[in-house]
Amino acid sequence: MPADLMDLIIKALGETIRMVVCSMIAATVIGIPLGVLLVTTAKHGITECLPINRILASIVNALRSVPFIILMVAIIPLTRAIVGTSIGTTAAMVPLTLASIPFIGRQVETSLKEVPYGIVEAALAMGATPLQIIRHVYLPEAMPSIVAQLTTVVIALVGESAMAGAIGGGGLGDLAIRYGYQRFRPEVMIATIIVLIVLVQLIQFAGNKLSKHLNKK
Amino acid sequence: MIELKDIEKTYEGPDGDVVALKGINLTIESGEIYGIIGLSGAGKSTLIRCINMLERPTKGSVIIDGEDMTSLDAKALRDARKNIGMIFQHFNLLSSATVYDNVAFPLRLSNTPESEIKERVEPLLELVNLKDKAHQYPSQLSGGQKQRVGIARALASNPKILLSDEATSALDPQTTKAILSLILDINKKLGITVVVITHEMQVIKDICDKVAVIENGVISEKGRVLDVFTNPQQAITKEFISAIMPNELPREFSGKTISKEPVPGAELLVNITFIGDTADEPVISNLIKDFPIDVSILYGNIDHIKDTPFGRLLIGMTGDISAIGDALAYLRSKNLRIEVIGYAS
């Protein structure tokens, strides 16, 4: 493999990892509370509040209906307001985060709904507060499932980050398009695809391992 | 003491309101084991959940030691709930926590220091005989062991009341017996009031002092278990009892007519129930000696209702109609429960 190609791939891989890791962390920090609220404010939830539930659900649905490439361009003013620029790897993190928040919210919601209501009821019977139920029942009981779901989100982020090239975000996807496709260098295309496959395999493997380790069922 | 006053509970259903409980009145004295029995859908689960407000009654009040649970705000209700332990049919343990952590859970909710938690949890694990399983996860335990964890957890906050929601319904007969005797043991040792919900009369018979039979959201019969068992009034109660104590006539009577009126030459069938140690007089022996009749014993057994032994005897008396009448009057004069089945011919 030519040295220039190696450098290109390492640089692009670095950008991809940076985009995915940073967006994932930011999206998880907001997405998990969002998923919790979607469950607890729902009908018969521990802090039932249907108006809030409906508003959250509408926002989630609205965000999820916009294709990522359009979202990325549409929120350029917001991106500029948050990170000060609308071009580059850092700028790409804003739409990546924004697109992942509702995704994580829904995934976490699904995981929490799998927690048997009987356990929640037992905690209520012991005099637990809603916050204690979230901390000591919902999250630990659903954690293996949440980890499995978040693994899916990370992999989806790797895919979405390929579109970051559209706003100069760089990354593996961008490399494949610019060198492999536009400059007719199939070896770049193939090398990038191989790196992506390995990356996704590693993420899935790590996610499975962690989920299994946490699962005491 | 738990007092349920005029409890009503209505749910909003898709086809209008569903009435689960209609006007329940019940008083449960401190330290007793009170059983509530009913078929599924009778409202018993709703009723037990009204005691700790997991279900809020639509009407009526729940008064525990003078405090009306329905009037408490969220904070006061949480504090009140810490005095009421609860165990469940499906155990409802945290699958992600060890046995030790499950039992410690209610204490952690009250921010109890870890050293104090240890002092409380270890004797509890000993009480339920699970000390060696402290660091295992619920999935590694059998059903009976899971329920023992549930019981230890329910007792962790030193409650005055234990609510048992079908706690043995998912267990096999041997395990059920062991769990019931553990509940009985805890009731005696700690003087804790126990409310038991079940659909099995065996549970009522083995551990309860009093029983209420609930049907279609109404209590159809209630009283001391001994009285209800030996003298049931309602069809549903009789059905529950016959499930564990068959009350059928021996097979040879199946083709015969049973008449309530005296029939010459017929055999009078009488069920005699002896309760406690009332057998101070040889009743049957006297019956044969003092009256010109023949007595045959058709069926007999001895059983226990909680700690009270009670025996049942089905006898047939043949002879002169007036002599049978005198013999029956003699039986009725004794401290026994007599049920005349009829004249078989």
Side-chain angles (χ1 to χ4, degrees), chain B residues 6-66:
Chain B
D6 305 314
I7 299 288
E8 280 182 32
K9 176 75 188 178
T10 313
Y11 291 103
E12 285 170 40
D15 320 306
D17 287 353
V18 181
V19 183
L21 299 172
K22 18 192 165 176
I24 302 276
N25 283 288
L26 212 60
T27 303
I28 300 168
E29 302 290 342
S30 294
E32 69 185 3
I33 304 186
Y34 206 113
I36 298 168
I37 186 165
L39 299 169
S40 49
K44 54 190 194 298
S45 276
T46 309
L47 182 59
I48 201 170
R49 279 168 175 72
C50 282
I51 296 176
N52 60 359
M53 295 286 118
L54 284 177
E55 296 276 5
R56 202 164 266 281
T58 318
K59 264 194 215 151
S61 47
V62 178
I63 298 162
I64 297 180
D65 294 332

Side-chain angles (χ1 to χ4, degrees), chain A residues 63-88:
Chain A
L63 275 174
R64 294 203 64 195
S65 34
V66 185
F68 179 68
I69 188 96
I70 295 170
L71 180 80
M72 197 163 58
V73 180
I75 64 155
I76 281 179
L78 177 71
T79 305
R80 194 175 288 134
I82 293 175
V83 294
T85 172
S86 59
I87 311 166

Side-chain angles (χ1 to χ4, degrees), chain B residues 168-342:
Chain B
T168 58
S169 298
L171 305 173
D172 60 60
Q174 277 89 353
T175 315
T176 295
K177 264 204 160 5
I179 293 292
L180 290 179
S181 71
L182 176 63
I183 293 174
L184 198 57
D185 198 37
I186 287 163
N187 165 260
K188 281 181 184 155
K189 267 191 200 151
L190 311 176
I192 190 171
T193 311
V194 184
V195 184
V196 172
I197 290 287
T198 185
H199 64 270
E200 294 167 313
M201 206 61 183
Q202 188 74 39
V203 173
I204 303 284
K205 180 171 149 287
D206 285 350
I207 65 167
C208 294
D209 300 300
K210 288 193 190 142
V211 62
V213 181
I214 184 168
E215 193 182 10
N216 297 323
V218 182
I219 290 180
S220 53
E221 188 162 357
K222 64 184 173 188
R224 293 196 318 144
V225 174
L226 209 56
D227 296 334
V228 171
F229 250 84
T230 51
N231 194 15
Q233 302 297 317
Q234 303 294 326
I236 175 106
T237 316
K238 289 177 185 164
E239 214 170 289
F240 276 126
I241 294 171
S242 70
I244 57 165
M245 293 196 296
N247 205 11
E248 287 160 12
L249 290 177
R251 204 178 296 160
E252 56 265 33
F253 288 91
S254 61
K256 298 193 176 178
T257 36
I258 308 283
S259 156
K260 287 282 171 195
E261 297 305 316
V263 177
E267 185 176 15
L268 177 63
L269 303 178
V270 178
N271 245 328
I272 308 173
T273 307
F274 305 82
I275 299 161
D277 302 315
T278 54
D280 48 352
E281 202 178 329
V283 179
I284 302 297
S285 170
N286 288 351
L287 206 57
I288 299 164
K289 276 192 288 188
D290 298 352
F291 300 90
I293 56 167
D294 287 323
V295 177
S296 49
I297 293 170
L298 304 168
Y299 171 84
N301 85 328
I302 293 179
D303 213 330
H304 283 80
I305 291 179
K306 203 171 177 181
D307 302 321
T308 310
F310 90 109
R312 290 191 313 154
L313 210 53
L314 174 64
I315 62 168
M317 297 191 281
T318 45
D320 188 61
I321 287 188
S322 69
I324 290 179
D326 292 344
L328 191 59
Y330 165 77
L331 282 176
R332 287 204 159 118
S333 72
K334 298 295 154 196
N335 189 23
L336 304 167
R337 279 177 207 266
I338 306 296
E339 185 201 355
V340 175
I341 294 167

Side-chain angles (χ1 to χ4, degrees), chain A residues 52-70:
Chain A
I52 290 183
N53 191 263
R54 288 200 192 104
I55 292 169
L56 289 176
S58 317
I59 295 175
V60 165
N61 289 344
L63 275 174
R64 294 203 64 195
S65 34
V66 185
F68 179 68
I69 188 96
I70 295 170

Side-chain angles (χ1 to χ4, degrees), chain A residues 43-44 115-130 132-133 135-144 214-217, chain B residues 12 49 52 54-55 77-79 81-82 84-86 88 91-97 102 105-106 108-111 137-140 153 165:
Chain A
K43 201 166 167 60
H44 305 304
V115 175
Y117 183 71
I119 307 180
V120 176
E121 194 182 38
L124 282 172
M126 289 173 214
T129 64
Q132 285 176 321
I133 293 176
R135 223 192 105 199
H136 297 289
V137 179
Y138 269 128
L139 291 178
E141 286 296 298
M143 202 42 84
L214 291 170
N215 195 349
K216 309 293 183 193
K217 275 187 197 153
Chain B
E12 285 170 40
R49 279 168 175 72
N52 60 359
L54 284 177
E55 296 276 5
L77 178 59
R78 283 198 293 268
D79 288 339
R81 279 174 174 167
K82 288 179 181 161
I84 309 173
M86 190 166 186
F88 304 85
F91 326 122
N92 295 344
L93 303 176
L94 293 166
S95 69
S96 57
N102 264 291
F105 183 43
R108 296 215 169 104
L109 293 178
S110 318
N111 297 317
Y137 287 91
S139 60
Q140 297 165 287
R153 179 176 72 173
D165 180 24

Side-chain angles (χ1 to χ4, degrees), chain A:
Chain A
M1 194 187 291
D4 76 314
L5 181 56
M6 196 68 194
D7 288 346
L8 282 173
I9 286 182
I10 287 170
K11 180 168 172 285
L13 179 63
E15 285 163 350
T16 294
I17 289 174
R18 201 154 76 83
M19 281 190 283
V20 170
V21 168
C22 294
S23 316
M24 190 63 202
I25 290 170
T28 305
V29 167
I30 304 168
I32 288 185
L34 174 66
V36 168
L37 278 175
L38 282 171
V39 171
T40 61
T41 59
K43 201 166 167 60
H44 305 304
I46 53 170
T47 57
E48 179 179 319
C49 180
L50 295 181
I52 290 183
N53 191 263
R54 288 200 192 104
I55 292 169
L56 289 176
S58 317
I59 295 175
V60 165
N61 289 344
L63 275 174
R64 294 203 64 195
S65 34
V66 185
F68 179 68
I69 188 96
I70 295 170
L71 180 80
M72 197 163 58
V73 180
I75 64 155
I76 281 179
L78 177 71
T79 305
R80 194 175 288 134
I82 293 175
V83 294
T85 172
S86 59
I87 311 166
T89 311
T90 311
M93 289 174 195
V94 177
L96 282 172
T97 304
L98 199 62
S100 303
I101 290 169
F103 192 14
I104 293 178
R106 281 286 183 224
Q107 302 276 50
V108 170
E109 180 192 15
T110 309
S111 298
L112 297 188
K113 276 186 182 164
E114 287 165 14
V115 175
Y117 183 71
I119 307 180
V120 176
E121 194 182 38
L124 282 172
M126 289 173 214
T129 64
L131 216 57
Q132 285 176 321
I133 293 176
I134 292 165
R135 223 192 105 199
H136 297 289
V137 179
Y138 269 128
L139 291 178
E141 286 296 298
M143 202 42 84
S145 165
I146 290 176
V147 167
Q149 302 272 33
L150 290 186
T151 308
T152 312
V153 179
V154 174
I155 291 169
L157 260 176
V158 173
E160 282 166 354
S161 73
M163 288 176 244
I167 58 166
L172 288 166
D174 183 45
L175 178 71
I177 294 286
R178 281 192 297 126
Y179 284 76
Y181 177 64
Q182 289 161 349
R183 294 185 195 176
F184 305 106
R185 286 184 63 178
E187 77 277 12
V188 181
M189 182 68 91
I190 289 163
T192 330
I193 289 171
I194 290 170
V195 173
L196 279 170
I197 290 172
V198 172
L199 183 63
V200 169
Q201 294 282 0
L202 283 174
I203 293 167
Q204 190 65 56
F205 176 77
N208 289 351
K209 267 266 185 257
L210 184 58
S211 174
K212 205 172 162 203
H213 172 74
L214 291 170
N215 195 349
K216 309 293 183 193
K217 275 187 197 153

